[in-house]
Amino acid sequence: MVEYLLKAKANTNLQNKQGLTPLMVAIDNDHDSIMNLLLKAGCKLHLQSYEKGYMALHHCVKSYDIDKVKLVLNHGAPVDCQDDQWQTPLITSIYEHQFDIPKYLIKKGANVSRAIFLLSVNVDKIKMDIIIDIIKHIVLCELFNFYERPLNS
């Protein structure tokens, strides 16, 4: 059905009442084949949901699926996009206690300084000792993986 709609030039960027695009819905519901079709069709990756201002990359991070994160980044999703609370996917992944995704986002050029600052001023969201451990991890990743970052970051 999705292939038929795409061949008929259906608008892949329509948003529902919550501002979710077909791509965001596919990400949230683990419809990887539909996600791939929408990305190949050129859907926009910078559209924000109405409720929290999440973009497609935020949805991928919230799914805990690094393959989805890699896929949308490889299709041009902005690595430092911000939601309504000015949180980037890197910050969201840290709040979600993830380690592989933040490391990958840093490798792709995510702004580490901004993440450290926002984490330090939002201590109430998670325990301080967890913040310190995550910041240490991020800094180590940054120090030892800086040569793998894109040239423009």
Side-chain angles (χ1 to χ4, degrees):
M1 178 63 119
V2 174
E3 289 175 348
Y4 172 79
L5 291 170
L6 292 174
K7 285 180 185 175
K9 304 290 185 208
N11 184 347
T12 59
N13 300 308
L14 288 177
Q15 293 176 279
N16 66 15
K17 291 179 183 179
Q18 293 81 32
L20 300 174
T21 65
L23 178 63
M24 293 173 189
V25 173
I27 292 166
D28 293 345
N29 292 290
D30 293 321
H31 296 301
D32 295 346
S33 59
I34 294 173
M35 188 178 157
N36 280 310
L37 288 170
L38 292 166
L39 288 167
K40 287 178 185 173
C43 65
K44 294 180 181 176
L45 298 169
H46 66 276
L47 297 175
Q48 292 184 284
S49 64
Y50 302 143
E51 291 181 6
K52 295 184 179 181
Y54 286 168
M55 292 187 194
L57 186 54
H58 288 97
H59 285 267
C60 292
V61 167
K62 299 284 280 178
S63 77
Y64 290 80
D65 189 336
I66 195 164
D67 292 328
K68 289 179 184 176
V69 170
K70 289 178 180 180
L71 186 62
V72 298
L73 283 172
N74 288 338
H75 277 85
V79 72
D80 280 324
C81 57
Q82 299 175 17
D83 65 15
D84 288 346
Q85 300 296 312
W86 302 288
Q87 293 191 17
T88 65
L90 176 59
I91 296 165
T92 300
S93 67
I94 293 168
Y95 281 142
E96 298 285 329
H97 305 281
Q98 301 174 18
F99 282 99
D100 291 339
I101 291 176
K103 183 178 177 180
Y104 185 76
L105 292 170
I106 291 166
K107 183 178 174 181
K108 291 304 234 175
N111 187 331
V112 175
S113 300
R114 178 176 169 72
I116 291 172
F117 171 75
L118 286 176
L119 287 169
S120 68
V121 297
N122 290 316
V123 179
D124 60 318
K125 292 196 177 183
I126 53 179
K127 293 181 181 177
M128 186 59 162
D129 57 334
I130 295 171
I131 293 174
I132 291 169
D133 287 345
I134 292 171
I135 290 172
K136 285 179 187 175
H137 176 77
I138 290 172
V139 170
L140 288 174
C141 289
E142 179 74 6
L143 289 174
F144 293 108
N145 292 324
F146 72 94
Y147 56 87
E148 297 181 37
R149 294 177 65 193
L151 293 175
N152 61 355
S153 61

